[in-house]
Amino acid sequence: MSFATRVRRWALRRAPQSAQAILNHRCIYVLPNARGAVFIILLLLMLLAAMNYQKSLAYVMTFILGSLLHSTIVYTYRNLSGLKLSLNSGRACFVGDLASFQLVVESPRKGRQQLRFRISEYWKNLDHLRGGREVVDIEVAASKRGWLQAPPLEVETDFPMGLIRAWSWQNLSSQVLVYPHPLAPPERLAQRGGGDGDKPNPTPGQEDYQGMRPYHFGDSPRHLAWKALASEKGLFTKVFDAAVSDDMWFEWDAFSGIAVERRLSYLTWQILEADRRNLIYGMKLPGTTLGPASSKKHFKQCLQALALFEGGTAESHKVEAVNNAR
């Protein structure tokens, strides 16, 4: 473990998880950056030269620049001190996308400049805090389904001279729901009798008249075409189709023998397609049945159930373990 990682962990232990944080002297750290280190070395060299040659002008320049460095330390610290930070959850996303958190930055006074924020490898700059309140969108790569907790926030500044770096780590509580990555299944299975998902398969019934066929022994007399018989066209039987509901079912068991995450990806893709086409659909997971319905609320409930799914058969887990081992 590197020294920087140890320091970061130590600092985060001093900043327990909370909904918001106010930066103060207990959580702001100040050190010279690379330019500041060079500046300090030059000051020391100037001081040594002034002492060696007893040059008053060299003393004056050294002390002026030393005062400038001291003022820079104070102003850099003040650029962070008093900032109030909080994180709002962004919109849900899919695995592979960038999850977005809204960082709310508030300040009781104006003049904050050149602030930088990050909660992952992505930095966001805020050049000038206007009006005492700004909202900054910060993105995090979503690599796993479920609730994505916001990583620790790092905020820093080197304003005004770029010689001193002041920073702080905060552990703000916020989370975003990550849905499984949608993946089209090899066969678009609609779970209504193995149909193709677009139209129901007709089955014999009593509802919709479809036409006539030659009479077969045993046909019901109620379905005989008496008008055709009266007009001497022969003996025919009327054919009807049963009424079939338009709702569809997407079932976990339709993808037996497939790894858990891939099953969830297939179901996610089917849910997205059904919603895009305004179909009435339902979903069956082990221990969970949703629908059928066709609404945005139902759509979100299905995706949430897929995102938070923790079950699966032993067979599915075995398949997934084999795939991961490859």
Side-chain angles (χ1 to χ4, degrees), residues 109-120:
R109 57 183 174 82
K110 299 181 180 179
R112 315 272 188 171
Q113 298 185 46
Q114 298 179 16
L115 302 173
R116 287 159 41 92
F117 308 91
R118 75 169 178 177
I119 55 178
S120 60

Side-chain angles (χ1 to χ4, degrees), residues 93 97-101 118-122 138-143 148-151:
C93 64
D97 294 343
L98 292 177
S100 176
F101 293 90
R118 75 169 178 177
I119 55 178
S120 60
E121 66 272 23
Y122 304 103
I138 300 182
E139 297 174 334
V140 180
S143 58
L148 173 62
Q149 301 291 336

Side-chain angles (χ1 to χ4, degrees), residues 114-154:
Q114 298 179 16
L115 302 173
R116 287 159 41 92
F117 308 91
R118 75 169 178 177
I119 55 178
S120 60
E121 66 272 23
Y122 304 103
W123 282 99
K124 282 286 186 176
N125 296 331
L126 182 59
D127 293 334
H128 192 195
L129 184 59
R130 300 181 179 87
R133 186 178 188 276
E134 290 283 349
V135 178
V136 181
D137 290 327
I138 300 182
E139 297 174 334
V140 180
S143 58
K144 185 178 179 181
R145 67 179 173 86
W147 289 110
L148 173 62
Q149 301 291 336
L153 169 72
E154 183 176 359

